[in-house]
PDB file of all heavy atoms in Angstrom:
ATOM      1  N   PHE J 442      29.357 -17.721  41.004  1.00 84.00           N
ATOM      2  CA  PHE J 442      28.805 -16.706  40.118  1.00 84.00           C
ATOM      3  C   PHE J 442      28.806 -15.342  40.794  1.00 84.00           C
ATOM      4  O   PHE J 442      28.809 -15.243  42.030  1.00 84.00           O
ATOM      5  CB  PHE J 442      27.376 -17.085  39.710  1.00 84.00           C
ATOM      6  CG  PHE J 442      27.299 -18.406  38.992  1.00 84.00           C
ATOM      7  CD1 PHE J 442      26.999 -19.574  39.686  1.00 84.00           C
ATOM      8  CD2 PHE J 442      27.544 -18.494  37.637  1.00 84.00           C
ATOM      9  CE1 PHE J 442      26.928 -20.799  39.041  1.00 84.00           C
ATOM     10  CE2 PHE J 442      27.487 -19.710  36.982  1.00 84.00           C
ATOM     11  CZ  PHE J 442      27.179 -20.860  37.680  1.00 84.00           C
ATOM     12  N   ASN J 443      28.800 -14.316  39.986  1.00 84.00           N
ATOM     13  CA  ASN J 443      28.804 -12.943  40.499  1.00 84.00           C
ATOM     14  C   ASN J 443      27.400 -12.588  41.004  1.00 84.00           C
ATOM     15  O   ASN J 443      26.718 -11.713  40.476  1.00 84.00           O
ATOM     16  CB  ASN J 443      29.246 -11.974  39.393  1.00 84.00           C
ATOM     17  CG  ASN J 443      29.500 -10.582  39.926  1.00 84.00           C
ATOM     18  OD1 ASN J 443      29.579 -10.362  41.133  1.00 84.00           O
ATOM     19  ND2 ASN J 443      29.609  -9.623  39.023  1.00 84.00           N
ATOM     20  N   GLU J 444      26.996 -13.331  42.013  1.00 87.00           N
ATOM     21  CA  GLU J 444      25.667 -13.171  42.610  1.00 87.00           C
ATOM     22  C   GLU J 444      25.822 -13.246  44.123  1.00 87.00           C
ATOM     23  O   GLU J 444      26.925 -13.214  44.649  1.00 87.00           O
ATOM     24  CB  GLU J 444      24.727 -14.283  42.101  1.00 87.00           C
ATOM     25  CG  GLU J 444      24.478 -14.278  40.599  1.00 87.00           C
ATOM     26  CD  GLU J 444      23.504 -13.202  40.167  1.00 87.00           C
ATOM     27  OE1 GLU J 444      22.902 -12.554  41.056  1.00 87.00           O
ATOM     28  OE2 GLU J 444      23.324 -13.006  38.939  1.00 87.00           O
ATOM     29  N   SER J 445      24.705 -13.372  44.808  1.00 90.00           N
ATOM     30  CA  SER J 445      24.742 -13.438  46.268  1.00 90.00           C
ATOM     31  C   SER J 445      25.203 -14.817  46.746  1.00 90.00           C
ATOM     32  O   SER J 445      25.219 -15.788  45.981  1.00 90.00           O
ATOM     33  CB  SER J 445      23.348 -13.143  46.833  1.00 90.00           C
ATOM     34  OG  SER J 445      22.445 -14.180  46.469  1.00 90.00           O
ATOM     35  N   VAL J 446      25.541 -14.870  48.018  1.00 90.00           N
ATOM     36  CA  VAL J 446      25.909 -16.143  48.638  1.00 90.00           C
ATOM     37  C   VAL J 446      24.738 -17.117  48.533  1.00 90.00           C
ATOM     38  O   VAL J 446      24.907 -18.296  48.194  1.00 90.00           O
ATOM     39  CB  VAL J 446      26.301 -15.929  50.121  1.00 90.00           C
ATOM     40  CG1 VAL J 446      26.475 -17.270  50.819  1.00 90.00           C
ATOM     41  CG2 VAL J 446      27.569 -15.098  50.220  1.00 90.00           C
ATOM     42  N   TYR J 448      22.348 -17.208  46.330  1.00 90.00           N
ATOM     43  CA  TYR J 448      22.183 -17.678  44.941  1.00 90.00           C
ATOM     44  C   TYR J 448      23.164 -18.800  44.642  1.00 90.00           C
ATOM     45  O   TYR J 448      22.808 -19.805  44.008  1.00 90.00           O
ATOM     46  CB  TYR J 448      22.408 -16.510  43.983  1.00 90.00           C
ATOM     47  CG  TYR J 448      22.330 -16.884  42.521  1.00 90.00           C
ATOM     48  CD1 TYR J 448      21.142 -16.772  41.816  1.00 90.00           C
ATOM     49  CD2 TYR J 448      23.460 -17.340  41.834  1.00 90.00           C
ATOM     50  CE1 TYR J 448      21.062 -17.110  40.476  1.00 90.00           C
ATOM     51  CE2 TYR J 448      23.396 -17.688  40.490  1.00 90.00           C
ATOM     52  CZ  TYR J 448      22.197 -17.573  39.824  1.00 90.00           C
ATOM     53  OH  TYR J 448      22.133 -17.909  38.491  1.00 90.00           O
ATOM     54  N   ASN J 449      24.401 -18.659  45.104  1.00 88.00           N
ATOM     55  CA  ASN J 449      25.426 -19.664  44.827  1.00 88.00           C
ATOM     56  C   ASN J 449      25.178 -20.962  45.588  1.00 88.00           C
ATOM     57  O   ASN J 449      25.421 -22.049  45.055  1.00 88.00           O
ATOM     58  CB  ASN J 449      26.804 -19.104  45.163  1.00 88.00           C
ATOM     59  CG  ASN J 449      27.361 -18.226  44.058  1.00 88.00           C
ATOM     60  OD1 ASN J 449      27.878 -18.726  43.068  1.00 88.00           O
ATOM     61  ND2 ASN J 449      27.228 -16.910  44.218  1.00 88.00           N
ATOM     62  N   THR J 484      24.859 -11.082  50.363  1.00 89.00           N
ATOM     63  CA  THR J 484      26.061 -10.354  49.935  1.00 89.00           C
ATOM     64  C   THR J 484      26.535 -10.861  48.572  1.00 89.00           C
ATOM     65  O   THR J 484      26.641 -12.071  48.352  1.00 89.00           O
ATOM     66  CB  THR J 484      27.188 -10.530  50.966  1.00 89.00           C
ATOM     67  OG1 THR J 484      26.725 -10.079  52.243  1.00 89.00           O
ATOM     68  CG2 THR J 484      28.424  -9.735  50.552  1.00 89.00           C
ATOM     69  N   ILE J 485      26.827  -9.930  47.671  1.00 89.00           N
ATOM     70  CA  ILE J 485      27.365 -10.283  46.350  1.00 89.00           C
ATOM     71  C   ILE J 485      28.859 -10.581  46.504  1.00 89.00           C
ATOM     72  O   ILE J 485      29.598  -9.778  47.084  1.00 89.00           O
ATOM     73  CB  ILE J 485      27.156  -9.142  45.341  1.00 89.00           C
ATOM     74  CG1 ILE J 485      25.669  -8.776  45.257  1.00 89.00           C
ATOM     75  CG2 ILE J 485      27.690  -9.540  43.968  1.00 89.00           C
ATOM     76  CD1 ILE J 485      24.774  -9.882  44.759  1.00 89.00           C
ATOM     77  N   ILE J 486      29.310 -11.723  45.975  1.00 86.00           N
ATOM     78  CA  ILE J 486      30.686 -12.156  46.226  1.00 86.00           C
ATOM     79  C   ILE J 486      31.634 -11.876  45.056  1.00 86.00           C
ATOM     80  O   ILE J 486      32.803 -12.259  45.105  1.00 86.00           O
ATOM     81  CB  ILE J 486      30.731 -13.651  46.585  1.00 86.00           C
ATOM     82  CG1 ILE J 486      30.143 -14.498  45.458  1.00 86.00           C
ATOM     83  CG2 ILE J 486      30.001 -13.900  47.892  1.00 86.00           C
ATOM     84  CD1 ILE J 486      30.247 -15.989  45.712  1.00 86.00           C
ATOM     85  N   GLY J 487      31.156 -11.221  43.997  1.00 81.00           N
ATOM     86  CA  GLY J 487      32.035 -10.843  42.894  1.00 81.00           C
ATOM     87  C   GLY J 487      32.223 -11.958  41.870  1.00 81.00           C
ATOM     88  O   GLY J 487      31.826 -13.104  42.082  1.00 81.00           O
TER      89      GLY J 487
END
Side-chain angles (χ1 to χ4, degrees):
F442 300 95
N443 190 13
E444 298 283 352
S445 66
V446 171
Y448 177 93
N449 279 280
T484 303
I485 304 297
I486 59 176

